[in-house]
Amino acid sequence: MSIPLSFNQEFLCMFDQGDEKGPFGPLYNIVGGWRLAGKIDADALRGALDDVVERHEALRTTIVRTPGGQRQEILPASPVSLTVREIPEEDVAARDRRAEELLIELEGGHYGVGELPLLRAVLGRFDEEDAVLVLIAHHTAADEVSIQLIIRDLGAFYAERRGYGPAALPEATQFQDFARWERERFAPEADVKARGYWREQLAGAKITGVPTDHLKSAGVEKTTSVHRFLVDAELTSAALAVAKETRSSAFMVLLAAYKVFLNERLGATDVVVPTMASGRGPAKFQNTVGAFFNFVPLRTGIAGAATFREVVRRTRATCLKAYGNALPFGQVVAEAPELAASFGADDLGVIAFQVFQFPALEGEEAGDLRISEIRRRLLSQPVSTDIPDGVMFQLDIDPVSGQMLGHVGYNTNLYHESTMAEFAAGFREVLGRTVVAPDAPLTLS
């Protein structure tokens, strides 16, 4: 049976570099980590992993790429690879760092897109009742929301296999159903008002590119590295207070600060910043595992804004209109062909901006286990999961500490680590000036 690609999968095919590099390469993965408290039944865990793959077709789907076209092909479920490792660490206080080091090691690993299922697991055991579970999924099969769904379902299936009753999970609509829905909803002949919105909104616009340290044509070897940083609780609280005062999300306020930062750094007043939206559409797909994420360009004119509060107001309006006019990124570019010019520029990089603000899984019971998500990541790393082209600037609001955890993933063929560290520090400095005094006079370039 021929199953069409989603528009996001089709977009990834535009950057296809084979099975060794790019979005179908062995480093294009999404990795999550959790601490497990309680005595672990490894056989039950293996069985629960297999149950997850049986439940979610995307984890056993291959994308067939041929000159004549691409399609999805769903294969029968096969066993998930679960590797069990002993981690000798007597000092309980040092285990958080060891857990993060394990995540870093695995994020730098190679996991081929041809090795189905597209989910694997590593269990690192400190002792009989304290362990780290790392899940690795290829990014063509799963996104950030999907990883949260997978661990939820895994816990329910594990409890069932341990004799705690049947897994009470909502129905999971399959990703192939989403691809068909999306193809019909955004078909070329369909009346899609959002196309007119993006055509007008992005007329003459280009994604705001940031000068690189290396020309793309220089052929510098590429890896993806990560620089991590912290934003203290006081400054995080100030940003959240501005969000509440302006009836905005934390993302809107932080994006406004980022746009002021880009203005100070680049002199840009017509600022177009891409972000990643969930792209999940109707509610029936909220429990579906798949690669839903959609690239969304957010254009805001900030010239003449007298205060940061005014920049927030304009940014909020930009975001609300964009959210109300969801359209696959490939179709957005078709309406605004100049938009993606920075991707092709020899001396510019595209930096996407993202904010996570959802509760961490903390002490969730799965039968006789307790599962807690590892969200607090502090260590920078030289090799991480792949970003196909550019930089991902990500902020994660930690509900436990009240701080923001900064993550800058960047391509080393474009930027030095020192540049990314200075970039993050510059943003943090602008954030400190703007959210603490949102009504102070603002001087834009």
Side-chain angles (χ1 to χ4, degrees):
M1 180 173 58
S2 179
I3 301 171
L5 301 186
S6 71
F7 285 115
N8 180 49
Q9 291 172 320
E10 188 176 79
F11 179 66
L12 291 176
C13 287
M14 294 173 58
F15 297 91
D16 189 358
Q17 300 177 55
D19 287 357
E20 297 305 316
K21 294 190 294 184
F24 295 96
L27 277 166
Y28 190 60
N29 300 295
I30 184 165
V31 179
W34 295 267
R35 291 291 289 273
L36 305 183
K39 193 164 185 177
I40 300 162
D41 182 336
D43 290 337
L45 184 58
R46 283 191 179 90
L49 286 163
D50 294 345
D51 292 338
V52 169
V53 170
E54 181 67 43
R55 173 173 162 85
H56 296 292
E57 290 177 352
L59 299 173
R60 46 190 169 90
T61 297
T62 185
I63 298 177
V64 180
R65 296 118 60 207
T66 65
Q70 294 84 31
R71 69 182 189 278
Q72 297 185 63
E73 185 175 316
I74 300 168
L75 301 178
S78 54
V80 176
S81 169
L82 172 63
T83 303
V84 180
R85 293 168 51 171
E86 303 300 327
I87 305 177
E89 181 55 74
E90 297 294 331
D91 184 359
V92 175
R95 290 180 178 179
D96 286 348
R97 183 182 179 92
R98 291 296 301 273
E100 188 173 356
E101 288 171 346
L102 177 62
L103 276 166
I104 288 173
E105 175 194 336
L106 296 173
E107 284 170 341
H110 289 62
Y111 314 98
V113 72
E115 301 172 20
L116 295 176
L118 298 174
L119 175 69
R120 63 197 67 234
V122 175
L123 181 68
R125 295 196 293 203
F126 294 117
D127 59 36
E128 287 296 312
E129 297 200 356
D130 186 7
V132 183
L133 177 66
V134 181
L135 298 179
I136 304 144
H138 202 274
H139 221 335
T140 57
D143 55 16
E144 293 282 354
V145 175
S146 297
I147 287 291
Q148 301 298 319
L149 294 173
I150 288 169
I151 192 64
R152 179 201 68 185
D153 294 358
L154 180 64
F157 286 131
Y158 179 85
E160 180 178 33
R161 285 180 172 271
R162 291 286 294 159
Y164 285 83
L169 292 170
E171 181 181 356
T173 307
Q174 299 302 327
F175 191 71
Q176 63 167 302
D177 299 318
F178 171 78
R180 290 194 178 95
W181 170 84
E182 189 184 44
R183 285 286 173 182
E184 181 178 350
R185 172 69 180 85
F186 298 108
E189 66 275 11
D191 181 16
V192 181
K193 292 182 180 179
R195 292 183 182 131
Y197 165 77
W198 288 110
R199 189 183 315 121
E200 180 179 346
Q201 171 69 6
L202 298 176
K206 297 179 183 179
I207 291 175
T208 302
V210 176
T212 58
D213 294 320
H214 306 292
L215 295 178
K216 294 173 184 174
S217 60
V220 176
E221 184 178 357
K222 176 196 166 187
T223 58
T224 297
S225 299
V226 176
H227 170 75
R228 289 191 169 90
F229 64 97
L230 277 175
V231 177
D232 64 51
E234 183 178 1
L235 192 50
T236 302
S237 178
L240 295 176
V242 173
K244 184 176 181 180
E245 292 168 8
T246 58
R247 296 185 298 124
S248 303
S249 66
F251 170 77
M252 294 170 184
V253 172
L254 295 168
L255 177 62
Y258 181 67
K259 293 196 173 197
V260 172
F261 166 64
L262 289 181
N263 171 265
E264 294 188 5
R265 190 177 184 92
L266 307 174
T269 54
D270 182 10
V271 188
V272 184
V273 173
T275 191
M276 308 299 288
S278 73
R280 287 181 168 258
K284 65 181 178 179
F285 299 117
Q286 297 310 302
N287 289 292
T288 303
V289 167
F292 288 90
F293 55 89
N294 189 37
F295 216 51
V296 180
L298 299 172
R299 183 186 193 181
T300 310
I302 62 174
T307 65
F308 177 64
R309 192 181 297 274
E310 173 61 19
V311 178
V312 172
R313 186 191 67 77
R314 296 185 192 184
T315 302
R316 179 179 185 273
T318 294
C319 292
L320 291 177
K321 289 177 182 176
Y323 301 157
N325 288 278
L327 191 69
F329 182 66
Q331 295 195 9
V332 171
V333 173
E335 301 299 331
E338 297 177 44
L339 179 71
S342 294
F343 282 109
D346 199 26
D347 60 345
L348 295 176
V350 171
I351 300 182
F353 185 84
Q354 192 170 15
V355 175
F356 291 137
Q357 190 183 16
F358 51 84
L361 194 69
E362 187 67 36
E364 184 76 12
E365 290 188 0
D368 46 2
L369 285 184
R370 292 189 309 281
I371 305 174
S372 299
E373 186 176 2
I374 301 172
R375 284 273 289 276
R376 190 173 178 81
R377 304 285 301 276
L378 302 175
L379 302 177
S380 297
Q381 60 195 90
V383 181
S384 184
T385 52
D386 189 36
I387 295 171
D389 187 10
V391 178
M392 176 62 73
F393 193 106
Q394 182 177 298
L395 296 168
D396 186 353
I397 299 176
D398 179 11
V400 177
S401 68
Q403 298 174 315
M404 270 188 282
L405 312 172
H407 168 119
V408 184
Y410 62 96
N411 292 160
T412 58
N413 64 322
L414 302 180
Y415 296 102
H416 295 304
E417 196 278 337
S418 58
T419 300
M420 292 292 94
E422 185 270 333
F423 194 86
F427 166 76
R428 187 167 45 194
E429 191 274 330
V430 169
L431 183 67
R433 284 191 278 110
T434 53
V435 299
V436 171
D439 296 307
L442 187 65
T443 302
L444 298 173
S445 301

